[in-house]
């Protein structure tokens, strides 16, 4: 079983739709959580961190449920430019108290006109 | 402010050969991590360098080795290449603040795409 699991999709949605991605992680020792975005044939870039209280950045809302070991990302009013792969990421601190990021497979979103 | 730069961008090797990939971190960053991303998969952690030492390592064989120089730049070496080593190799830099980089943000380079024939 992968440490971070995501539905690879693709999710095909029309412009203006609301879409939600889910992610589960298996290691309860995971300390911090993120969503990264990766455009086709480009490098991953941080989209947003995920906090236990939930957090919002414009059209994007991230939620964390530590009890269920579940992370979500909600995108409202989808734009064509939101088409990308969204990577769920957890950080598990190593013995020297530095984390290595564990990436999920990624969920592909295609927003259609 | 230059971001993370990697070279070469693309390369083709044959099985059994050796390859060296290079990375210059973002200005001000002292920690370099290397990731392997196979097609259709998320990046997989190879190792991390800080103060010229390998600080953490993922589940990769000893054929994968690295180095960090005093100017924080880094190299990834892969010996005895296998077909399965074909992937995008990503270098990421961060600043070791509180042991996790700045708010956990890694800055990635555009990667070196390795094809092994």
């Amino acid at each position: 079983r992968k440490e971070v699991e995501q539905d690879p999709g693709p999710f095909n949605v029309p412009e203006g739709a609301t879409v939600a991605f889910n992610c589960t992680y298996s290691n309860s020792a995971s300390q911090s959580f993120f969503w990264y975005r990766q455009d086709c044939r480009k490098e991953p870039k941080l989209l947003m961190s995920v906090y236990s209280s939930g957090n919002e950045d414009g059209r994007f809302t991230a939620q964390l449920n530590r009890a269920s070991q579940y992370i979500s990302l909600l995108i409202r009013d989808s734009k064509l430019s939101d088409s990308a792969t969204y990577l769920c990421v957890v950080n598990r601190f190593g013995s020297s108290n530095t984390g290595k990021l564990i990436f999920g497979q990624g969920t592909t979103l295609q927003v259609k006109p | 402010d230059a971001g993370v730069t990697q070279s070469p961008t693309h390369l083709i090797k044959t099985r059994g050969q050796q390859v060296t990939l290079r990375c210059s971190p973002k200005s001000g960053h002292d920690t370099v991590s290397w990731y392997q991303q196979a097609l259709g998969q998320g990046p997989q952690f190879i190792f991390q360098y800080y103060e010229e030492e390998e600080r953490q390592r993922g589940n990769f064989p000893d054929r994968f080795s690295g180095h960090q120089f005093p100017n924080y730049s880094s190299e990834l070496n892969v010996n005895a290449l296998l077909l399965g080593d074909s992937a995008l190799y990503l270098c990421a830099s961060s600043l070791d603040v509180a042991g996790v980089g700045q708010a956990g943000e890694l800055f990635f380079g555009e990667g070196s795409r390795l094809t092994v024939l």
Side-chain angles (χ1 to χ4, degrees):
Chain A
R1 185 189 171 192
K2 293 181 180 177
E3 190 165 342
V4 178
E5 299 223 43
Q6 296 181 250
D7 178 349
F11 285 59
N12 295 302
V13 303
E15 269 186 295
T18 295
V19 61
F21 305 138
N22 302 318
C23 163
T24 57
Y25 61 96
S26 60
N27 192 322
S28 59
S30 298
Q31 297 288 328
S32 48
F33 310 87
F34 311 92
W35 284 100
Y36 275 69
R37 169 190 169 134
Q38 186 171 26
D39 293 309
C40 187
R41 305 187 76 80
K42 304 289 278 183
E43 73 275 21
K45 293 182 180 177
L46 179 66
L47 177 66
M48 59 196 301
S49 300
V50 186
Y51 304 116
S52 296
S53 54
N55 49 298
E56 191 174 303
D57 182 2
R59 298 181 293 108
F60 298 82
T61 300
Q63 297 275 357
L64 167 65
N65 184 322
R66 285 187 184 269
S68 301
Q69 296 180 199
Y70 172 96
I71 305 161
S72 66
L73 177 67
L74 183 77
I75 305 176
R76 292 181 300 278
D77 188 23
S78 299
K79 311 290 185 191
L80 294 176
S81 58
D82 293 334
S83 297
T85 295
Y86 291 84
L87 297 159
C88 176
V89 186
V90 306
N91 186 326
R92 184 161 44 83
F93 287 101
S95 57
S96 55
N97 203 35
T98 57
K100 68 179 185 183
L101 298 188
I102 310 297
F103 286 78
Q105 178 183 1
T107 298
T108 298
L109 172 66
Q110 296 275 7
V111 182
K112 308 286 190 182
Chain B
D1 176 24
V4 180
T5 58
Q6 292 187 244
S7 64
T9 55
H10 295 81
L11 68 167
I12 299 173
K13 293 285 188 178
T14 56
R15 280 179 298 174
Q17 285 189 311
Q18 179 264 344
V19 67
T20 298
L21 308 178
R22 297 176 177 83
C23 171
S24 292
K26 183 177 168 66
S27 177
H29 284 183
D30 58 7
T31 303
V32 173
S33 303
W34 286 91
Y35 288 79
Q36 180 196 65
Q37 186 173 25
L39 198 62
Q41 301 297 316
Q44 300 295 308
F45 177 78
I46 302 175
F47 41 52
Q48 184 182 81
Y49 278 85
Y50 173 69
E51 292 188 341
E52 302 179 52
E53 298 281 336
E54 183 183 290
R55 184 159 63 175
Q56 285 199 81
R57 190 178 182 92
N59 294 324
F60 280 80
D62 292 345
R63 299 187 296 110
F64 290 76
S65 63
H67 190 78
Q68 185 179 34
F69 299 94
N71 67 352
Y72 307 121
S73 67
S74 177
E75 288 182 351
L76 164 66
N77 300 291
V78 187
N79 294 322
L81 284 167
L82 303 174
L83 296 180
D85 295 331
S86 296
L88 179 67
Y89 287 85
L90 293 161
C91 170
S93 75
S94 57
L95 180 63
D96 194 347
V97 175
V100 70
Q102 283 192 331
E105 182 170 9
L106 295 186
F107 290 82
F108 284 88
E110 293 192 358
S112 294
R113 192 167 297 279
L114 171 65
T115 301
V116 182
L117 301 177

